[in-house]
mmCIF file of all heavy atoms in Angstrom:
data_model
loop_
_atom_site.group_PDB
_atom_site.id
_atom_site.type_symbol
_atom_site.label_atom_id
_atom_site.label_comp_id
_atom_site.label_asym_id
_atom_site.label_seq_id
_atom_site.Cartn_x
_atom_site.Cartn_y
_atom_site.Cartn_z
ATOM 1 N N MET Q 25 7.094 172.958 -47.233
ATOM 2 C CA MET Q 25 5.686 173.264 -46.989
ATOM 3 C C MET Q 25 5.473 174.765 -46.878
ATOM 4 O O MET Q 25 4.531 175.313 -47.462
ATOM 5 C CB MET Q 25 5.196 172.566 -45.718
ATOM 6 C CG MET Q 25 4.955 171.087 -45.911
ATOM 7 S SD MET Q 25 4.175 170.322 -44.479
ATOM 8 C CE MET Q 25 5.608 169.998 -43.462
ATOM 9 N N VAL Q 29 3.124 177.279 -49.376
ATOM 10 C CA VAL Q 29 2.042 178.141 -48.882
ATOM 11 C C VAL Q 29 2.329 179.599 -49.246
ATOM 12 O O VAL Q 29 1.432 180.326 -49.681
ATOM 13 C CB VAL Q 29 1.829 177.967 -47.362
ATOM 14 C CG1 VAL Q 29 0.742 178.914 -46.857
ATOM 15 C CG2 VAL Q 29 1.469 176.528 -47.029
ATOM 16 N N ALA Q 32 1.416 180.242 -52.857
ATOM 17 C CA ALA Q 32 -0.035 180.320 -53.064
ATOM 18 C C ALA Q 32 -0.588 181.661 -52.580
ATOM 19 O O ALA Q 32 -1.412 182.280 -53.265
ATOM 20 C CB ALA Q 32 -0.724 179.163 -52.348
ATOM 21 N N ILE Q 33 -0.132 182.119 -51.417
ATOM 22 C CA ILE Q 33 -0.600 183.407 -50.894
ATOM 23 C C ILE Q 33 -0.141 184.531 -51.811
ATOM 24 O O ILE Q 33 -0.918 185.433 -52.146
ATOM 25 C CB ILE Q 33 -0.111 183.639 -49.455
ATOM 26 C CG1 ILE Q 33 -0.679 182.583 -48.509
ATOM 27 C CG2 ILE Q 33 -0.493 185.048 -48.986
ATOM 28 C CD1 ILE Q 33 -0.022 182.571 -47.130
ATOM 29 N N LEU Q 71 4.981 177.931 -40.115
ATOM 30 C CA LEU Q 71 3.928 177.277 -40.884
ATOM 31 C C LEU Q 71 2.559 177.687 -40.340
ATOM 32 O O LEU Q 71 1.628 177.943 -41.108
ATOM 33 C CB LEU Q 71 4.106 175.760 -40.864
ATOM 34 C CG LEU Q 71 3.197 174.954 -41.786
ATOM 35 C CD1 LEU Q 71 3.292 175.434 -43.228
ATOM 36 C CD2 LEU Q 71 3.533 173.483 -41.690
ATOM 37 N N LEU Q 74 1.631 181.103 -41.630
ATOM 38 C CA LEU Q 74 1.290 181.048 -43.050
ATOM 39 C C LEU Q 74 -0.088 180.439 -43.285
ATOM 40 O O LEU Q 74 -0.832 180.885 -44.159
ATOM 41 C CB LEU Q 74 2.352 180.278 -43.826
ATOM 42 C CG LEU Q 74 3.686 181.014 -43.951
ATOM 43 C CD1 LEU Q 74 4.755 180.081 -44.491
ATOM 44 C CD2 LEU Q 74 3.545 182.247 -44.826
ATOM 45 N N ILE Q 75 -0.446 179.442 -42.502
ATOM 46 C CA ILE Q 75 -1.779 178.845 -42.627
ATOM 47 C C ILE Q 75 -2.839 179.876 -42.259
ATOM 48 O O ILE Q 75 -3.873 179.986 -42.926
ATOM 49 C CB ILE Q 75 -1.889 177.563 -41.792
ATOM 50 C CG1 ILE Q 75 -1.024 176.465 -42.423
ATOM 51 C CG2 ILE Q 75 -3.340 177.105 -41.663
ATOM 52 C CD1 ILE Q 75 -0.848 175.225 -41.575
ATOM 53 N N ASP Q 76 -2.592 180.664 -41.214
ATOM 54 C CA ASP Q 76 -3.520 181.741 -40.838
ATOM 55 C C ASP Q 76 -3.653 182.757 -41.964
ATOM 56 O O ASP Q 76 -4.760 183.184 -42.302
ATOM 57 C CB ASP Q 76 -3.052 182.442 -39.564
ATOM 58 C CG ASP Q 76 -3.187 181.579 -38.321
ATOM 59 O OD1 ASP Q 76 -3.891 180.548 -38.370
ATOM 60 O OD2 ASP Q 76 -2.575 181.934 -37.297
ATOM 61 N N LEU Q 77 -2.530 183.164 -42.553
ATOM 62 C CA LEU Q 77 -2.562 184.125 -43.653
ATOM 63 C C LEU Q 77 -3.284 183.547 -44.866
ATOM 64 O O LEU Q 77 -4.038 184.259 -45.546
ATOM 65 C CB LEU Q 77 -1.149 184.557 -44.034
ATOM 66 C CG LEU Q 77 -0.441 185.475 -43.037
ATOM 67 C CD1 LEU Q 77 1.026 185.646 -43.427
ATOM 68 C CD2 LEU Q 77 -1.142 186.814 -42.967
ATOM 69 N N ALA Q 78 -3.071 182.284 -45.142
ATOM 70 C CA ALA Q 78 -3.748 181.638 -46.261
ATOM 71 C C ALA Q 78 -5.260 181.674 -46.057
ATOM 72 O O ALA Q 78 -6.015 181.971 -46.990
ATOM 73 C CB ALA Q 78 -3.256 180.203 -46.424
ATOM 74 N N ALA Q 79 -5.699 181.394 -44.851
ATOM 75 C CA ALA Q 79 -7.140 181.437 -44.552
ATOM 76 C C ALA Q 79 -7.686 182.841 -44.756
ATOM 77 O O ALA Q 79 -8.759 183.024 -45.337
ATOM 78 C CB ALA Q 79 -7.394 180.954 -43.130
ATOM 79 N N LEU Q 83 -7.860 181.030 -48.896
ATOM 80 C CA LEU Q 83 -7.310 179.740 -49.327
ATOM 81 C C LEU Q 83 -7.497 178.708 -48.237
ATOM 82 O O LEU Q 83 -7.565 179.038 -47.051
ATOM 83 C CB LEU Q 83 -5.813 179.896 -49.627
ATOM 84 C CG LEU Q 83 -5.428 180.914 -50.684
ATOM 85 C CD1 LEU Q 83 -3.927 181.144 -50.686
ATOM 86 C CD2 LEU Q 83 -5.902 180.473 -52.045
ATOM 87 N N SER Q 84 -7.544 177.455 -48.619
ATOM 88 C CA SER Q 84 -7.535 176.376 -47.636
ATOM 89 C C SER Q 84 -6.249 175.584 -47.837
ATOM 90 O O SER Q 84 -5.805 175.392 -48.975
ATOM 91 C CB SER Q 84 -8.763 175.480 -47.774
ATOM 92 O OG SER Q 84 -8.786 174.854 -49.034
ATOM 93 N N VAL Q 85 -5.678 175.155 -46.752
ATOM 94 C CA VAL Q 85 -4.418 174.416 -46.801
ATOM 95 C C VAL Q 85 -4.688 172.991 -46.352
ATOM 96 O O VAL Q 85 -5.313 172.770 -45.313
ATOM 97 C CB VAL Q 85 -3.349 175.068 -45.886
ATOM 98 C CG1 VAL Q 85 -2.065 174.259 -45.889
ATOM 99 C CG2 VAL Q 85 -3.089 176.492 -46.324
ATOM 100 N N ARG Q 86 -4.216 172.036 -47.151
ATOM 101 C CA ARG Q 86 -4.320 170.630 -46.790
ATOM 102 C C ARG Q 86 -2.930 170.048 -46.663
ATOM 103 O O ARG Q 86 -2.033 170.423 -47.413
ATOM 104 C CB ARG Q 86 -5.084 169.863 -47.863
ATOM 105 C CG ARG Q 86 -6.549 170.191 -47.915
ATOM 106 C CD ARG Q 86 -7.244 169.254 -48.869
ATOM 107 N NE ARG Q 86 -6.528 169.171 -50.131
ATOM 108 C CZ ARG Q 86 -7.080 169.381 -51.303
ATOM 109 N NH1 ARG Q 86 -8.331 169.681 -51.397
ATOM 110 N NH2 ARG Q 86 -6.363 169.290 -52.407
ATOM 111 N N LEU Q 87 -2.795 169.126 -45.755
ATOM 112 C CA LEU Q 87 -1.525 168.463 -45.539
ATOM 113 C C LEU Q 87 -1.673 167.000 -45.920
ATOM 114 O O LEU Q 87 -2.567 166.324 -45.420
ATOM 115 C CB LEU Q 87 -1.122 168.586 -44.063
ATOM 116 C CG LEU Q 87 0.108 167.816 -43.602
ATOM 117 C CD1 LEU Q 87 1.342 168.365 -44.301
ATOM 118 C CD2 LEU Q 87 0.246 167.912 -42.102
#
Side-chain angles (χ1 to χ4, degrees):
M25 284 188 276
V29 178
I33 297 168
L71 188 54
L74 289 169
I75 290 170
D76 290 345
L77 288 171
L83 302 169
S84 62
V85 177
R86 290 188 312 233
L87 173 65

